[in-house]
Each structure stands twice: as C-alpha cells, then as structure tokens.
C-alpha cells in the first residue's frame, strides 16, 4: 500500500511539473531554434563533405561533415601511447564564416581519447592511431560536447606518404652506395680500371634493388607528431556553439 501511494505521488509531481522547466535544461545543447541565415566556413577544406554554418538567434551551428584544422597541444608518439589515453588539441587560428563572423575562437581546446592503435608491421605498414574527439572548451571555459575524428581515408592518424617514400629512398640510396663502393673497392686487383668500373656498374643497381626490397619488407613508420602540428578533423554530428560565448573574442 505504501509503495502504491508513493508511486501515485511521483506521478502527480511529474504531471504538475511545468514542461518549460524541463525544456530549459536541454535548450542549451539541442539548438532547436529557427534558422535565420546560412553561411559557409572561410578557407574551408576543398574535400570537406559539407561547408554549411546555420545561424539562429542564439547559436552558430556547424553542420555534420564540416572540416577544420586543429593542432596537437603536446608532442605525440604512438609507441608511448595506449588505448584509452586522453589526447589534447587546440584551435590554432580563428575559424570564421565567409562573411567574417567569428564562430570558433583561436585557442579553444579540444580533448578526446585513443580508441585504438595499430602498431607498425612488416612489409612497410605504418602505425595507425584512431582518435575520437568528444569535448570542446571555449576560451571562456564553456564546455561543449563534440563528436569528431581525424579527416583521413580511414579516419586514423598515420605518417604521410612522403615520409614513407623518404624511408624507402634512404634505404635504396644507402645500399646502392654500398654496392657501388664494393665494386670500386676492387681497385687492388691487376688492371683495376676495367674490373672496378664493371663491378661498380653492377653493384649500383644490385645495391639499389636490395635496398628497395629491404625498405619494403621492414616494419613501417611509427606515428609521431610535434607540438603544434596541425591535422584536419571532420564533425560526425552538428556542433552548436552559443553566440554569447564567442561574441567577446
């Protein structure tokens, strides 16, 4: 009987609670306002799926699919990180609309966590770091929820192709030089000018071939990022930024 009475009282309280008071608790994040105008991000990434910014009375709404730059707050080494670790970034430059309206101030902080790490493997496969970004902190310390990830082919952080090509080139040139040197080293044999030239001619391509094969079958590169190094991220959901929290910057 007591349980039934308590249940009835709870239901009565819920019935008389003003709906407006419940709405106030969620209005800060749901951005459910009429859109007054639409703009685009200035200097947007040309490959971004979306470049739309909706503007309401109280919010700037960056649509899902927008892409912008962030930077590492500190140095990052994939071999020193593990799944679940927190990772921190910041906005290196004011993000504005094409009309010049500031929507995300320089110095805003972002944080997230590492979803997983694939270590470098044989056959020159580079390490990959999978990151989820879930918190945006504006310069006035206002915290906003955000869902974003690196804007790459498979949404991972990985050394670029130039770094991999540089590794292969170094391996190829290095062993090519060794092969050439080995051929030239035959100069102590009678009539060295004939033998050394021929051996050097053979040693160079053989050494380069061995260097290329060695570079291909060895482990790939670890992922390293310097403090301040910039990457692109893509929004996985709309991001609602209160106007009042950016108007003073």
């Amino acid at each position: 009987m007591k349980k039934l009475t308590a249940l009835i009282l709870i239901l009565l309280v819920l019935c008389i609670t003003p709906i407006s008071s419940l709405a106030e608790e969620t209005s800060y994040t749901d951005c459910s306002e009429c859109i007054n105008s639409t703009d685009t991000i200035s200097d947007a990434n040309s490959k971004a799926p979306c470049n739309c910014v909706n503007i309401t009375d109280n919010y700037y709404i960056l649509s899902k699919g927008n892409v912008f730059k962030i930077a590492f707050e500190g140095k990052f080494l994939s071999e020193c990180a593990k799944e679940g670790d927190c990772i921190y970034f910041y906005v290196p430059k004011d993000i504005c609309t094409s009309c010049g309206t500031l929507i995300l101030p320089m110095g805003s902080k972002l944080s997230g966590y590492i979803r997983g790490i694939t270590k470098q493997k044989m056959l020159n496969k580079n390490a990959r770091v999978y990151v989820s970004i879930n918190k945006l902190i504006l310069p006035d310390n206002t915290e906003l929820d955000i869902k974003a990830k690196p804007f790459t082919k498979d949404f991972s952080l990985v050394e670029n192709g130039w770094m991999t090509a540089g590794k292969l080139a170094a391996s190829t040139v290095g062993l090519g030089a060794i092969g050439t040197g080995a051929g030239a080293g035959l100069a102590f044999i009678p009539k060295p000018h004939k033998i050394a030239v021929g051996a050097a001619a053979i040693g160079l391509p053989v050494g380069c071939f061995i260097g290329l094969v060695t570079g291909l079958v060895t482990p790939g590169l670890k992922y390293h990022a310097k403090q301040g190094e910039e990457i692109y991220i893509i929004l996985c959901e709309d991001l609602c930024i209160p106007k009042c929290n950016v108007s003073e910057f």
Side-chain angles (χ1 to χ4, degrees):
M1 187 65 183
K2 290 182 179 180
K3 291 183 178 180
L4 180 59
T5 303
L7 180 59
I8 293 173
L9 288 174
I10 291 172
L11 291 174
L12 287 173
V13 170
L14 290 175
C15 289
I16 62 175
T17 299
I19 295 177
S20 59
S21 65
L22 296 175
E24 288 174 0
E25 295 178 0
T26 58
S27 62
Y28 187 77
T29 57
D30 64 8
C31 300
S32 54
E33 296 183 0
C34 293
I35 296 172
N36 297 329
S37 61
T38 299
D39 206 339
T40 58
I41 291 181
S42 176
D43 300 322
N45 186 295
S46 60
K47 297 181 180 179
C50 178
N51 188 25
C52 177
V53 181
N54 293 317
I55 302 173
T56 71
D57 289 337
N58 297 300
Y59 295 96
Y60 300 118
I61 306 174
L62 278 70
S63 299
K64 174 183 176 181
N66 266 288
V67 173
F68 56 88
K69 278 184 180 180
I70 61 174
F72 280 88
E73 195 170 65
K75 182 169 67 173
F76 181 85
L77 306 174
S78 63
E79 66 269 31
C80 298
K82 62 181 183 297
E83 184 176 343
D85 282 355
C86 292
I87 188 166
Y88 301 96
F89 304 90
Y90 65 92
V91 177
K93 182 181 178 181
D94 285 343
I95 297 176
C96 303
T97 67
S98 57
C99 294
T101 302
L102 175 64
I103 53 177
L104 189 54
M106 175 179 66
S108 297
K109 306 288 186 181
L110 299 103
S111 64
Y113 63 94
I114 297 174
R115 293 188 291 111
I117 299 177
T118 301
K119 294 184 178 180
Q120 73 272 30
K121 298 178 182 178
M122 299 297 288
L123 302 180
N124 204 43
K125 292 185 178 181
N126 294 341
R128 294 180 180 274
V129 182
Y130 297 90
V131 173
S132 287
I133 298 171
N134 54 17
K135 188 69 66 179
L136 170 65
I137 305 174
L138 299 176
D140 68 349
N141 292 321
T142 298
E143 292 190 8
L144 303 172
D145 290 332
I146 179 175
K147 287 191 177 180
K149 53 190 174 184
F151 184 51
T152 60
K153 187 175 181 179
D154 66 345
F155 306 112
S156 69
L157 297 174
V158 61
E159 291 293 357
N160 61 44
W162 288 109
M163 294 290 289
T164 304
K167 176 197 169 192
L168 291 177
S171 177
T172 302
V173 171
L175 286 181
I178 292 174
T180 303
L186 297 175
F188 66 88
I189 299 177
K191 297 183 179 180
H193 59 284
K194 294 183 179 180
I195 299 175
V197 171
I202 296 172
L204 177 59
V206 170
C208 287
F209 174 75
I210 294 173
L212 177 60
V213 172
T214 301
L216 288 172
V217 300
T218 53
L221 299 172
K222 300 170 183 177
Y223 180 75
H224 290 172
K226 299 177 292 185
Q227 181 181 8
E229 185 170 329
E230 297 179 353
I231 63 169
Y232 281 104
I233 60 170
I234 181 170
L235 294 178
C236 302
E237 290 185 358
D238 292 354
L239 172 61
C240 302
I241 303 174
K243 286 182 176 181
C244 60
N245 295 111
V246 299
S247 58
E248 61 184 271
F249 298 99

